[in-house]
Amino acid sequence: MNITKKRGRQLLGAVALAGAAAVVLAGCTTTPSATETGSASNKTLTVAQVNEVTSFNYNTPQGNLDMNGMINYMTQPQFVTLGSDYKITPNPDLGTMKKISDDPLTVKYTLNKDAKWSDGKEITSDDLLLGWAQASGYYDSATQDADGKVTSGTQYFSLASASPFQTEYPSDITKTSITLKYKQPYVDWNLVNPIQFPAHVVASEAGTTTSDLLKALKDTPAGNPAKPAPANATLKKVADFINTGYDKTSLPSDKKLLVSGGPLMVSAWTPKQSMTLVPNPKYTGSHKVKFGKLVVRFIGDANAQVTALQNGEVDAIQPQASADTVKALDAASGVKVEEGSQVAYDHLDLNFGSSVFKDENVRKAFLLTIPREQILNSIVTPINKNAKVLDSQLYLPGQKGYEESVKNNDSSDYSKVDIAKAKQLLNGATPSIKILYNTENPNRVDTFQAIQSSAAKAGIKVVDGGSAQWSSLLAGGDYDASIFGWVNPGAGNAAIPQLFQTNNSGNYNKFADPEASKLAVATQSTLDESKLDTQKQQIDKIAFDKAYGLPLFQSPGLFATGSKVKGVQYFGGQTGIFWNVWDWTK
């Protein structure tokens, strides 16, 4: 939702499967050891990506970026993955996830006895308990004001999306298993992955011990905002470390932060240039990679990515899709192009915390000036001639429910630019609107300029708030509107409260409609598919009626590979080109 690319809204949701720089040459800061390169092959694969890594924890509001999620996917344990058809696929390399009961919903997680972290330590229920605590929000007792500031109680783990599921404290805990009993049904139970970081590393980094961490997890009561208990000092130290301790802009000198439970592990990082991953020597199972090194080049410019591919500097690219990029690739020899739609969309969101948009008429007037058809025709239609303007905030074209929702959600109110009606709603007002967007993304630049030009016709001054650091500014709210993209996992519904629940940490534009918030929370425990669709369509209608913002278009996707790499297949979800990295050969 990776943002787009801020996973692009990573929508990973916080518990969904894990869950989109300057043009430079690659370089390595360290040389992998002989152990690290002890793979079935000594081949190096190099892939270009748009965005640079900013954190090894994609679950926080500031770390919720597509590239962070991709690195997490390759380096951290996963109970499930998604297939090319977006179907949930169990990953027996780590262990098993088994539903024991429907009422109450009860799920048992069992680790393989030979599962290990890259430092040789066993992966145990200690790690599952920490992962569950991090993702569930079980201990949180915080009450927040309209700006998200904690006014009472304690907020422990900071999540990009407030946890949509609630369980009791885990039961039947053994060395290799835990059982989660849900307090109410949870629609995405089969996407919950209660593990991310090694408990022994986190405890050490937080200045405590694993045994004291486990004691804190056991002794701290469930959060109760109405009657908050005093903060547990040990648990707070652990949470504070997880919240910010994995945020990095270069290779950490403390190598414990790089301990991996996935098929790959980070070994080098040249800021603004590249990151190198090598096989995790302790990883076993069908997802072991078939090469000796993976170099991820950070190349923001699509043309530079194409040039790097043509010159053999990289083996595969995932550039921003555009007509010029497709044309350049079509003219290249020995290049294989994979195209498709992403489970992602570009959108304009209005900041409901902004004074200029307190007036609903100003919100609606501004939206009536947005030239969505023009934006689509300049960015997407040259790639996909059948593309249409996106008319839903919750569905994408082709998904079940899209057509029905569009018929009833009042998106038709904004089907065409209407400057006369915008002026009428403004009644002589000439508001100034500052828009945040990524200045290094050509598509976002084009979108901003089109909006700025059109809005001026209604007397609206659109101020350039663009920044290369846009993603770090998104949660701050120092803007009136924002242009970016959400990338969904491709399965599940965890993203809904992230966007529409009042005070959710992922609700960046501070949308606070009581009915939409209530419905968003309700979607997480609605197992009846028909009822779930009704709830989603009701939220969709509220979003348009309240002038939440406007969806623009479903994002086109593009992979391209040279002749030497095999196994790369198109995938439009959050994990991008790396979704089947274990199938790649060179």
Side-chain angles (χ1 to χ4, degrees):
M1 49 183 125
N2 84 191
I3 277 174
T4 312
K5 285 204 166 179
K6 189 180 183 293
R7 226 168 177 56
R9 292 166 184 179
Q10 194 156 252
L11 298 185
L12 291 169
V15 296
L17 177 68
V23 180
V24 289
L25 295 176
C28 295
T29 56
T30 63
T31 300
S33 68
T35 300
E36 289 173 330
T37 55
S39 168
S41 170
N42 61 1
K43 300 292 185 181
T44 296
L45 287 166
T46 304
V47 179
Q49 279 287 324
V50 173
N51 296 320
E52 182 162 15
V53 177
T54 64
S55 178
F56 297 113
N57 183 4
Y58 74 90
N59 269 324
T60 62
Q62 76 277 9
N64 185 34
L65 308 178
D66 60 347
M67 193 64 238
N68 297 343
M70 292 179 193
I71 295 297
N72 183 95
Y73 178 71
M74 295 186 282
T75 61
Q76 300 305 329
Q78 311 288 343
F79 273 99
V80 296
T81 62
L82 292 185
S84 58
D85 55 1
Y86 304 106
K87 288 185 179 179
I88 299 168
T89 306
N91 177 20
D93 293 2
L94 177 62
T96 60
M97 174 177 60
K98 182 179 180 181
K99 183 168 69 172
I100 297 174
S101 168
D102 284 310
D103 188 16
L105 176 60
T106 307
V107 183
K108 182 175 182 178
Y109 294 84
T110 304
L111 296 161
N112 287 338
K113 292 181 180 179
D114 58 351
K116 289 183 172 64
W117 296 101
S118 59
D119 62 0
K121 300 288 187 181
E122 293 180 349
I123 300 178
T124 70
S125 60
D126 297 352
D127 309 306
L128 296 178
L129 287 169
L130 175 61
W132 161 80
Q134 180 188 351
S136 68
Y138 176 85
Y139 300 101
D140 292 338
S141 59
T143 297
Q144 299 175 330
D145 60 20
D147 295 321
K149 183 179 179 180
V150 175
T151 56
S152 66
T154 305
Q155 179 77 38
Y156 287 98
F157 297 97
S158 176
L159 299 174
S161 173
S163 178
F165 73 89
Q166 296 182 343
T167 76
E168 297 177 2
Y169 187 84
S171 60
D172 300 328
I173 301 171
T174 70
K175 183 179 180 180
T176 58
S177 69
I178 66 171
T179 298
L180 298 183
K181 184 180 292 185
Y182 287 76
K183 294 180 180 179
Q184 60 184 9
Y186 178 49
V187 65
D188 289 344
W189 68 268
N190 54 352
L191 281 171
V192 173
N193 187 59
I195 186 170
Q196 187 177 13
F197 300 119
H200 66 281
V201 168
V202 169
S204 174
E205 296 292 314
T208 186
T209 65
T210 305
S211 59
D212 284 347
L213 166 57
L214 295 175
K215 184 177 187 301
L217 294 176
K218 186 173 179 60
D219 292 348
T220 306
N224 181 2
K227 191 177 180 181
N232 182 296
T234 299
L235 184 58
K236 190 68 169 66
K237 285 196 300 183
V238 167
D240 287 347
F241 169 73
I242 285 183
N243 292 342
T244 61
Y246 283 97
D247 296 347
K248 299 296 175 183
T249 56
S250 62
L251 191 75
S253 57
D254 184 353
K255 296 302 186 289
K256 292 195 296 294
L257 296 179
L258 303 177
V259 171
S260 166
L264 290 164
M265 54 189 288
V266 175
S267 67
W269 184 357
T270 301
K272 307 297 182 184
Q273 296 187 27
S274 68
M275 177 175 283
T276 300
L277 298 92
V278 295
N280 174 357
K282 302 301 181 183
Y283 191 88
T284 59
S286 61
H287 291 166
K288 287 185 66 173
V289 297
K290 302 175 179 67
F291 48 82
K293 188 187 298 182
L294 174 66
V295 177
V296 181
R297 288 269 306 275
F298 308 127
I299 304 176
D301 183 82
N303 290 330
Q305 284 199 21
V306 174
T307 299
L309 182 64
Q310 289 176 314
N311 293 343
E313 298 168 27
V314 300
D315 298 297
I317 63 175
Q318 186 179 351
Q320 178 81 49
S322 70
D324 289 342
T325 306
V326 172
K327 183 178 180 180
L329 287 169
D330 286 344
S333 59
V335 170
K336 180 181 179 183
V337 178
E338 301 266 2
E339 296 180 72
S341 295
Q342 293 189 64
V343 191
Y345 64 101
D346 270 32
H347 52 93
L348 169 76
D349 289 354
L350 306 190
N351 182 0
F352 280 70
S354 167
S355 59
V356 71
F357 286 136
K358 297 297 184 186
D359 186 337
E360 183 176 298
N361 282 340
V362 175
R363 297 200 304 271
K364 291 185 174 181
F366 180 50
L367 296 186
L368 284 168
T369 72
I370 307 303
R372 295 197 296 160
E373 194 75 36
Q374 176 189 337
I375 292 167
L376 178 83
N377 289 336
S378 66
I379 295 174
V380 185
T381 305
I383 306 171
N384 177 5
K385 64 181 181 180
N386 297 317
K388 297 184 182 300
V389 166
L390 181 62
D391 281 324
S392 172
Q393 294 281 9
L394 278 84
Y395 296 92
L396 291 174
Q399 289 182 337
K400 181 180 177 295
Y402 177 79
E403 296 294 341
E404 183 178 357
S405 190
V406 170
K407 287 178 183 177
N408 301 297
N409 66 8
D410 295 331
S411 59
S412 59
D413 290 352
Y414 304 101
S415 60
K416 301 290 183 183
V417 171
D418 193 334
I419 300 299
K421 186 173 181 181
K423 287 182 175 179
Q424 181 183 357
L425 288 171
L426 290 172
N427 194 28
T430 57
S432 178
I433 296 170
K434 179 181 178 182
I435 299 183
L436 175 68
Y437 66 97
N438 183 2
T439 54
E440 294 189 350
N441 184 320
N443 287 354
R444 305 282 153 66
V445 174
D446 289 349
T447 298
F448 168 78
Q449 291 175 346
I451 292 173
Q452 185 181 51
S453 176
S454 183
K457 298 174 184 177
I460 299 172
K461 180 182 179 182
V462 172
V463 178
D464 191 335
S467 170
Q469 286 74 47
W470 65 278
S471 61
S472 64
L473 302 173
L474 198 60
D478 185 23
Y479 55 88
D480 303 307
S482 56
I483 304 166
F484 64 103
W486 285 132
V487 181
N488 284 286
N493 298 276
I496 299 173
Q498 183 172 355
L499 307 188
F500 298 105
Q501 181 186 11
T502 301
N503 287 338
N504 192 298
S505 52
N507 182 350
Y508 297 119
N509 61 326
K510 297 179 175 60
F511 184 65
D513 181 86
E515 182 62 19
S517 183
K518 181 180 177 181
L519 285 165
V521 173
T523 61
Q524 303 305 288
S525 58
T526 301
L527 304 185
D528 181 277
E529 189 174 340
S530 176
K531 185 176 180 181
L532 178 62
D533 271 336
T534 297
Q535 292 169 338
K536 291 164 68 174
Q537 289 170 20
Q538 288 175 321
I539 296 171
D540 209 12
K541 186 176 188 302
I542 291 171
F544 282 98
D545 289 348
K546 298 294 183 181
Y548 172 94
L550 287 177
L552 300 174
F553 54 80
Q554 182 177 12
S555 306
L558 179 66
F559 302 167
T561 58
S563 59
K564 295 181 180 179
V565 62
K566 307 296 181 186
V568 176
Q569 298 179 39
Y570 184 77
F571 183 70
Q574 285 176 354
T575 49
I577 198 170
F578 301 110
W579 74 278
N580 70 333
V581 66
W582 40 82
D583 293 330
W584 296 3
T585 59
K586 184 176 181 180

